[in-house]
Amino acid sequence: TMASCPVSELSKEQQDELVCTYAALILHDDGAEITAQAMAALIKAAGVNVEGYWPMLMAKMVNNVGMDALIKMGSGAGGGGGGAGAAPAAGGAAAEGAAGGAAGKEEKKKVEEEEEEEEMDFD
C-alpha cells in the first residue's frame, strides 16, 4: 500500500493520487469547496505537477461520496489513521451505493455533531 513505502518508490500515478488526496484534505480542513480548480491551484502553488485529469477525478469523487465518508473509509476503525487517503473512485462510488439510506442518516448525524463541536469553539 502507499502508506507502507517511501513516496520515492511510488509510481507517478500513485504520487499524483497522493498529491490530490492531500490537496483535497487541505481544502476540506480549511472549509473550502473542493473543486478541480481549487485543487489544481493548490497543487501548482506547492510546485508540484500532476496529470490534468487527477484533480477533476478526485473532486468529482469527493463531491459524490463526501469527504467525511472517504476519510472514514481510509482511516479504519481506530482514531489516528486518517491521512493515508481516499479510496479509488470506483470503490468509493460502489461503497456509497451499497450504503443506501443509512449513509444519509449517518451523514445528517455527523453534520449535527460537527455543528455542536463548532458551537463549543475549541479553536
Side-chain angles (χ1 to χ4, degrees):
T1 66
M2 281 193 263
S4 64
C5 70
V7 172
S8 61
E9 293 180 13
L10 297 175
S11 69
K12 172 66 172 142
E13 185 175 86
Q14 290 173 318
Q15 289 178 13
D16 287 0
E17 180 180 0
L18 189 60
V19 167
C20 287
T21 298
Y22 286 142
L25 286 168
I26 290 167
L27 291 168
H28 176 71
D29 189 53
D30 234 19
E33 185 177 359
I34 300 172
T35 65
Q37 294 81 11
M39 290 177 64
L42 183 58
I43 291 165
K44 183 178 179 182
V48 181
N49 293 315
V50 299
E51 292 293 332
Y53 63 87
W54 274 108
M56 179 185 62
L57 183 66
M58 187 68 70
K60 185 175 181 177
M61 178 180 61
V62 167
N63 290 312
N64 285 336
V65 177
M67 193 63 169
D68 291 331
L70 290 170
I71 291 170
K72 286 178 186 176
M73 284 181 212
S75 67
E96 182 185 14
K105 292 177 187 174
E106 182 66 30
E107 187 65 26
K108 183 176 179 182
K109 180 179 177 184
K110 179 72 175 164
V111 168
E112 291 172 1
E113 289 173 6
E114 288 175 358
E115 289 173 354
E116 289 175 13
E117 290 175 6
E118 288 173 5
E119 291 172 4
M120 292 180 197
D121 198 31
F122 284 111
D123 293 328

